[in-house]
């Protein structure tokens, strides 16, 4: 037990004593001791048999010494375990929520006997926290936000956050002399919608002599956002940064870099299949190389390409490595040609200052043009979304005119006039058919009443799809990653109707949406439904978020043909009026 672990037990005991309503002197003695031990240069475990040395640490008296002796003799502290039993171990999770202190937890406990995160979240959502003494609605909202942060930090991160973190670290590592290649592997490289921890692989010409390794690890340890080091070995250092993200950095010799890329990109399931194949062919495959079973002579390892080639497989893009049949396809030379960002000719879900966007029509169009698109669409909100200042029929018609005028006055990009119209609770669209018919394209989206019975929600979506003006269903499942689950409905029935009516499904690229997700995209393709990949941009800078959508499309094995906004402007315009033929 190191000093940090001891301090944690003491801090937790202090917090639980406070929840228990014990006197402040006793509580303070635990906190002071925890702090002193945490900052003490010498390990307590090395001096515990010398009571005088322990007592010499400021803040540690005879009582605390007895506690420490118990801790080392028994492996636990009875004051700590007793309180844990009384309040349930889940209390420790509650204490980790920023801004939820022992006093509030005590209040919640005495009123509701709830001591776990899910339970407290439920109370807050039910408006029961504001009923406690000295609490109000503001506290309740802050608490919900804190729980959200806790979940994020305790769990997975959105792909854009992971990417930003990886880019910052890569920049830092690239300044270390001798590091030549620095690449993310793991779930980030596979383009998964969320990332658990970051896996960064590093190599260079001389990588890595013992001294270079030592210097490199020391350099990584000085990374400014680094909070604590979790493990540090010969060629690996694991640490946590201030955002709560955990990062594994691995140093590799160049001749193993491809093997390590392959291994640490995963997925685990893909790797298991690949290794079985290697064994059948008389090879072993690990993070260092592909080698002969007999004599362990390496035959590949410098690049991933040579490993797949030696295994008589076409190169499998990282996004496909989930063991969903990609190895068979690679063997048969029949891997699909996945869609690429450069295949997209337009982005047709964009908001402006007219509703809840931050830029004008012109600014959004210029951003789309600078991105290299041939077309884009302005699709502001409809009136049901009151907080977004959504458009009614009259304003929508005026807005169309403005969009068309802007289109006349801009060169090099076609601006379509569209709308993101709300699908009301009964499945009706929020604007009159007459106005919707004037649009070049209509995205119909659910933005309210998410908790309908699945059958009702299915009916609602089917009705929206059956409106002849509907071109696209926007963010079809409504999920907000790490925050709100998808609303429930019969996806198969909805996709079948969309296929029949030639209504497209959106792949919304906003990182917290990514909706449809990879699984549903695959299902949509199988049912003959076309996809439109959009950003839902509310700012010119959001145009770049399209790449997160493209990654999900690739994970779903989509090709250029599956996605309507790879079409030329004319063909795309027709497709928005249901005029396309499935080949
Ligand atoms: P994450 O971090 O939860 O988002 O997902 P990954 O895929 O990044 O998983 P992680 O970080 O645990 O490991 C990175 C890769 O390393 C993983 O995709 C495959 C490889 N790997 C890890 N553990 C094993 C293992 O036990 N067996 C095999 N074959 N591969 C492993
Ligand atoms: Ca990972
Ligand atoms: Ca990892
Ligand atoms: Zn929307």
């Amino acid at each position: 037990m190191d000093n940090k672990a001891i301090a944690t037990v003491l801090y937790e005991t202090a917090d639980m004593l406070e929840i228990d309503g014990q006197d402040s002197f006793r509580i303070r003695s635990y906190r002071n001791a925890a702090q002193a031990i945490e900052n003490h240069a010498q390990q307590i475990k090395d001096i515990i048999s010398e009571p005088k040395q322990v007592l010499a640490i400021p803040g540690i008296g005879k009582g605390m010494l007895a506690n420490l002796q118990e801790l080392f003799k028994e492996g636990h502290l009875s004051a700590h375990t007793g309180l844990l039993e009384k309040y349930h171990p889940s209390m420790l999770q509650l204490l980790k929520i920023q801004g939820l202190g022992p006093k509030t937890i005590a209040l919640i406990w005495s009123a509701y006997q709830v001591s776990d995160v899910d339970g407290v979240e439920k109370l807050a959502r039910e408006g029961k926290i504001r009923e406690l003494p000295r609490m109000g609605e503001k506290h309740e909202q802050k608490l919900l936000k804190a729980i959200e942060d806790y979940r994020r930090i305790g769990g997975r991160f959105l792909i854009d956050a992971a990417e930003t973190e990886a880019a910052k670290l890569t920049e830092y590592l690239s300044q270390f002399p001798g590091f030549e290649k620095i690449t993310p592997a793991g779930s980030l490289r596979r383009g998964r919608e969320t990332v658990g921890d970051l896996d960064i692989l590093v190599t260079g010409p001389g990588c890595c002599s013992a001294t270079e390794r030592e210097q490199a690890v020391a350099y990584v340890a000085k990374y400014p956002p680094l909070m604590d080091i979790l493990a540090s070995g010969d060629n690996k250092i694991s640490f946590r940064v201030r955002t709560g993200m955990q990062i594994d950095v691995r140093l590799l010799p160049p001749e193993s870099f491809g093997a390590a890329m392959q291994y640490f990109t995963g997925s685990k399931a893909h790797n298991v299949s690949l290794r079985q194949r290697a064994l059948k062919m008389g090879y072993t495959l690990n993070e260092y190389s592909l080698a002969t079973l007999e004599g362990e002579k390496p035959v590949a390892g410098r690049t991933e390409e040579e490993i797949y080639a030696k295994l008589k497989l076409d190169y499998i893009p990282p996004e496909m490595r989930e063991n969903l049949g990609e190895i068979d396809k690679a063997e048969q030379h029949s891997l699909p040609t996945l869609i690429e960002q450069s295949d997209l000719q337009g982005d047709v879900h964009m908001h402006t200052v007219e509703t809840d966007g931050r830029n004008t029509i012109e600014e959004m169009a210029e951003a789309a043009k600078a991105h290299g698109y041939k077309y884009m669409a302005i699709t502001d909100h409809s009136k049901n979304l009151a907080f977004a200042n959504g458009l009614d029929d009259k304003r929508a018609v005026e807005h169309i005119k403005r969009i068309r005028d802007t289109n006349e006055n801009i060169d090099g990009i076609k601006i379509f006039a569209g709308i993101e119209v709300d699908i009301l609770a009964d499945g009706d669209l929020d604007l009159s058919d007459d106005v919707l018919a004037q649009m070049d394209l209509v995205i119909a989206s659910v933005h309210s009443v998410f908790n309908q019975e699945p059958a009702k929600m299915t009916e609602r979506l089917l009705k929206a799809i059956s409106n002849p003006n509907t071109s696209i269903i926007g963010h079809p499942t409504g999920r907000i990653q790490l925050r709100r689950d998808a609303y429930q409905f019969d996806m198969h029935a909805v996709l079948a109707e969309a296929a029949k009516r030639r209504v497209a499904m959106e792949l919304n690229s906003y990182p917290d949406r990514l909706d449809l997700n990879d699984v549903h995209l695959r299902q949509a393709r199988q049912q003959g439904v076309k996809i439109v990949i959009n950003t839902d941009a509310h700012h010119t800078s959001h145009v770049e978020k399209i790449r997160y959508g493209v990654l999900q499309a690739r994970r779903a094995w989509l090709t250029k043909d599956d996605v309507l906004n790879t079409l030329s402007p004319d063909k795309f315009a027709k497709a928005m009026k249901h005029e396309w033929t499935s080949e």
Side-chain angles (χ1 to χ4, degrees):
M1 200 171 229
D2 66 4
N3 286 359
K4 185 146 195 183
I6 300 168
T8 301
V9 171
L10 299 180
Y11 278 127
E12 286 174 358
T13 308
D15 286 344
M16 287 189 290
L17 286 170
E18 195 171 346
I19 293 167
D20 204 42
Q22 301 274 334
D23 73 85
S24 55
F25 179 78
R26 188 154 172 234
I27 297 165
R28 208 169 329 120
S29 76
Y30 276 92
R31 287 220 174 100
N32 289 345
Q35 202 173 7
I37 290 171
E38 196 173 28
N39 297 320
H40 197 63
Q42 233 173 349
Q43 288 293 324
I44 303 294
K45 64 172 182 274
D46 298 333
I47 56 170
I48 190 70
S49 52
E50 307 275 349
K52 270 199 188 127
Q53 284 195 46
V54 179
L55 286 169
I57 302 172
I60 298 196
K62 285 226 176 75
M64 199 51 66
L65 172 66
N67 281 331
L68 293 173
Q69 285 166 332
E70 186 198 346
L71 201 49
F72 278 98
K73 188 152 167 265
E74 309 291 338
H76 59 81
L77 188 64
S78 47
H80 185 255
T81 49
L83 287 159
L84 271 185
E85 240 165 72
K86 181 166 176 187
Y87 293 107
H88 197 271
S90 62
M91 190 67 96
L92 294 180
Q93 297 312 118
L94 270 189
L95 282 167
K96 291 200 182 116
I97 296 175
Q98 288 292 323
L100 182 61
K103 285 200 182 66
T104 310
I105 295 176
L107 265 177
I108 295 171
W109 173 263
S110 64
Y112 303 114
Q113 283 77 54
V114 165
S115 69
D116 64 303
V117 178
D118 288 348
V120 170
E121 183 178 18
K122 188 159 176 281
L123 288 173
R125 292 206 187 285
E126 288 167 349
K128 291 192 174 143
I129 299 295
R130 69 182 79 166
E131 289 168 9
L132 297 172
R134 294 184 306 279
M135 294 296 247
E137 210 176 323
K138 267 216 182 102
H139 291 98
E140 208 168 70
Q141 290 310 317
K142 257 172 81 180
L143 179 56
L144 282 170
K145 173 81 175 57
I147 290 176
E148 184 191 319
D149 291 347
Y150 162 80
R151 290 237 162 85
R152 184 165 52 73
I153 286 165
R156 302 185 67 82
F157 292 80
L158 295 178
I159 186 170
D160 59 334
E163 210 184 61
T164 307
E165 205 68 62
K168 260 195 300 193
L169 179 61
T170 301
E171 164 67 23
Y172 179 77
L173 292 176
S174 67
Q175 285 158 34
F176 185 79
F179 282 177
E180 215 160 59
K181 267 194 232 159
I182 304 154
T183 324
S187 50
L188 179 60
R189 183 158 179 250
R190 299 200 311 283
R192 275 201 61 179
E193 57 190 28
T194 61
V195 170
D197 70 356
L198 269 185
D199 304 280
I200 306 285
L201 306 182
V202 176
T203 192
C207 195
C208 299
S209 67
T211 30
E212 194 185 42
R213 263 198 322 248
E214 207 173 294
Q215 285 168 354
V217 168
Y219 180 71
V220 173
K222 279 188 300 203
Y223 182 47
L226 183 144
M227 220 168 52
D228 50 354
I229 295 177
L230 306 168
S232 174
D234 261 2
N235 56 4
K236 176 187 161 185
I237 174 163
S238 295
F239 54 96
R240 202 185 301 274
V241 288
R242 277 201 299 272
T243 54
M245 199 175 293
Q246 192 182 313
I247 306 180
D248 295 339
V249 173
R250 291 185 173 83
L251 312 177
L252 300 142
E255 65 273 16
S256 285
F257 196 65
M261 282 284 282
Q262 198 293 312
Y263 183 90
F264 291 109
T265 294
S267 68
K268 201 164 157 179
H270 174 88
N271 287 358
V272 168
S273 280
L274 205 65
R275 195 158 51 234
Q276 280 165 356
R277 181 182 177 87
L279 284 173
K280 265 192 231 145
M281 295 174 71
Y283 296 119
T284 64
L285 176 62
N286 57 29
E287 63 265 53
Y288 305 108
S289 68
L290 180 72
T292 55
L293 265 177
E294 267 171 70
E296 293 178 22
K297 196 168 117 1
V299 296
R302 196 168 281 273
T303 67
E304 279 190 325
E305 282 79 359
E306 64 182 28
I307 292 171
Y308 283 101
K310 271 277 185 273
L311 294 172
K312 298 204 174 349
L313 296 173
D314 289 346
Y315 180 76
I316 301 174
E319 298 92 328
M320 293 185 82
R321 299 183 196 169
E322 297 290 347
N323 200 34
L324 295 171
E326 71 278 10
I327 294 178
D328 285 347
K329 293 269 186 206
E331 180 182 64
Q332 297 150 13
H333 308 295
S334 59
L335 284 172
T337 305
L338 301 183
I339 185 166
E340 289 178 25
Q341 197 174 314
S342 57
D343 292 328
L344 295 177
Q345 301 208 31
D347 179 346
V348 297
H349 187 162
M350 294 197 179
H351 297 271
T352 71
V353 284
E354 185 63 17
T355 61
D356 62 350
R358 303 269 299 282
N359 294 93
T360 62
I361 301 169
E362 290 86 350
E363 287 163 348
M364 295 307 282
E366 287 296 345
K369 187 170 131 184
H371 186 89
Y373 288 136
K374 295 204 172 72
Y375 55 91
M376 51 91 72
I378 299 294
T379 54
D380 271 307
H381 288 292
S382 66
K383 64 181 184 300
N384 186 53
L385 216 55
F387 65 81
N389 189 26
L391 308 173
D392 58 13
D393 278 349
K394 183 161 170 286
R395 280 177 64 213
V397 171
E398 290 162 7
H399 202 38
I400 295 178
K401 185 170 180 316
R402 268 195 298 273
I403 298 168
R404 299 215 195 282
D405 286 348
T406 311
N407 182 50
E408 289 302 311
N409 293 319
I410 194 167
D411 283 332
I413 190 157
K414 163 80 189 168
I415 311 174
F416 288 119
I419 188 92
E420 182 181 19
V421 65
D422 267 37
I423 302 173
L424 303 177
D426 62 0
D428 279 345
L429 301 185
D430 190 26
L431 294 174
S432 72
D433 285 340
D434 172 46
V435 168
L436 293 176
Q438 298 176 43
M439 305 282 174
D440 298 323
L441 65 100
V442 172
I443 301 175
S445 306
V446 169
H447 285 128
S448 59
V449 200
F450 300 117
N451 52 2
Q452 284 174 327
E453 286 296 311
K456 187 99 201 292
M457 186 58 88
T458 305
E459 237 177 82
R460 178 180 181 183
L461 289 165
L462 291 178
K463 193 167 174 192
I465 290 168
S466 73
N467 185 312
N469 294 310
T470 301
S471 323
I472 302 170
I473 299 296
H475 42 73
T477 77
R479 66 123 175 224
I480 304 287
Q481 292 204 83
L482 314 179
R483 256 170 49 210
R484 187 173 81 206
D485 287 341
Y487 37 78
Q488 298 299 303
F489 61 95
D490 182 345
M491 180 62 83
H492 189 273
V494 165
L495 291 175
E497 185 70 12
K500 196 175 106 193
R501 305 241 178 210
R502 291 182 186 164
V503 166
M505 289 287 141
E506 181 175 67
L507 162 48
N508 189 299
S509 305
Y510 226 80
D512 58 0
R513 286 197 183 269
L514 298 177
D515 183 8
L516 296 176
N517 69 14
D518 52 356
V519 174
H520 290 141
L521 288 169
R522 206 170 292 135
Q523 191 182 346
R525 193 193 44 176
Q526 279 158 5
Q527 288 190 239
V529 177
K530 298 284 181 190
I531 304 299
V532 177
I533 309 179
N534 286 326
T535 56
D536 200 351
H538 285 70
H539 187 274
T540 51
S541 66
H542 296 169
V543 172
E544 298 305 321
K545 295 188 191 289
I546 199 77
R547 70 175 180 284
Y548 305 116
V550 173
L551 278 171
Q552 300 316 304
R554 289 169 63 84
R555 288 179 57 77
W557 299 25
L558 297 194
T559 66
K560 197 177 161 182
D561 293 339
D562 299 316
V563 177
L564 291 179
N565 49 330
T566 61
L567 296 171
S568 66
D570 289 349
K571 282 191 177 157
F572 180 78
K574 286 200 175 117
M576 293 296 95
K577 301 289 176 183
H578 318 297
E579 289 172 36
W580 49 268
T581 47
S582 46
E583 62 279 10

